[in-house]
Amino acid sequence: MKSRRADGRPVGWRALKSRPILLTAALVSLAVMLGVNLVSGERIRITGLTAAVPALAAVFLGPLDVLLISILTVGAVVWASADNNLLGTANFPVVLATAVLVGAGAVLAARARARRERQLAKVRKVAEATQRALLRPLPGRLGRVTISSMYLAAEEEAAIGGDLYAAGVDERGDTRVLVGDVQGKGLAAVEVVGLLLSSFRRAVRSGVPLESLPGYLDEGLRDDLVDLEENGAPGTVDSRPVEPEFLERFVTAVVVDIADDGGTVRIANCGHPPPLLIRGDRVIPLLPDVPELPLGLGDLGRGGHHVDSYDLALGDILLLYTDGVIEARNVEGAFYPLADRLAYWTRDTPAVLLEDVRIDLTRY
C-alpha cells in the first residue's frame, strides 16, 4: 500500500496546496480587524483581539508564515492604537506586550508542530516501507489459479496495520493462500505480521500439510513472541517498550489449498470471516463445519484442526477478505453487506470484482 491516492497524487499534496489559502485567510482576518479598529475609533476597541490571529495561524501554518503574521500583528496593534490616541495610555504597553508574547509563542508552537509532523512522516515512511517488504506483491497466477489482490486502508493516513496475505506453491504443486488479521494495529501489529508470514513461507517450503499448518503457525507465533520478550532488555522488544498485551496478541486467519488440477479447495479457518465462493450467479459463504480458535490461542484449544473440502468448477471465484470490509458502517450504522453486494458482480473477472467492491465500499 503506497502513500498515494488513486489518482497518483501524494498524500501531502492537499496540505501543500492549501498553504497559500490559509496564509491569505490569516492576512485577510488581520486586515479586517485592523479596518474595524480604524473605522470604529474609540467606540469599539478590538485591538487585543488582533493578537488571536497568529495564535490561530500556528495551528495550520509553518513557523516562517506565523512569524510574518506576528510581525504584521504587532504593527497593526501599534497603528490602531495610534489612530485611537491610545499610545500614551497606561494600557498600551500591556496590549503591545500581549501581542509580542502571543506572537512569539505562536512561532514556537508552529515550529514544534512542524518538527513533530516531520518526525511522524519519517516514522510512517519507515513503517510503510517495512510493511511493503513484508506484504510482497502476489503473483498474477499460481498453477491453475489466477490471483488478484487489494490492500485498502480504512483512512488515508492509516498506512500501516495488521492485515496480512501471502501465497505460494507447495512441493505437491498445490496453491496455498493465507489471509489474516492481527489483533491490534500499528508497529506492534506489523511485527506480528512479520513473524506469522515468516512461519507461513517456511511451512510452504517445508511441505507442512494443511491439517498441521494451523498448529505449526500457532506454536511458532507463540514461541516467537516469547523469544522477543526474553531476548530483549527487560520490558522491551528491540529496545522499544513492550505493550502489556503484546504476548496476548492473536491472529484470525484462513488458509486455502487449491489442488494442482484446480478441482478441489481445502480450507483451514482459524476464527476468520468465511471465504465467499462465487459460482455462476450464486454467492456461497464457506462456513467451517467446526469453529476453530485464532492463531496464538492454540494452547486453549482441543488440539488438531478441522479442514473443510469443497469442489471447484472452472470459472469459480474464491474471495478472501478481512473483517475491515464487513464491519465497515454507513451513516446509519449498518454493516456493509458484502455477500449481498457481490450478487451484482458475479460475472466480473477477479480484478474487476475487487475494483467494484472498492468503489462500492467507499461509497457505502
Side-chain angles (χ1 to χ4, degrees), residues 6 93 154 241 346 362:
T346 53
T362 302

Side-chain angles (χ1 to χ4, degrees), residues 178-189:
L178 165 71
V179 171
D181 182 11
V182 178
Q183 174 252 337
K185 59 184 66 176
L187 291 176

Side-chain angles (χ1 to χ4, degrees), residues 81-100:
S81 298
D83 188 75
N84 294 330
N85 300 315
L86 298 175
L87 292 181
T89 64
N91 189 55
F92 172 72
V94 176
V95 174
L96 181 62
T98 300
V100 172

Side-chain angles (χ1 to χ4, degrees), residues 17 53 99 121 124 140 157 163 192 213 249 255 266 271 306 308 315:
K17 186 176 181 180
V53 176
R124 284 178 174 169
E157 295 80 5
D163 290 353
V192 177
L213 182 61
R249 287 189 180 274
V255 185
R266 301 167 67 234
H306 179 77
D308 299 292

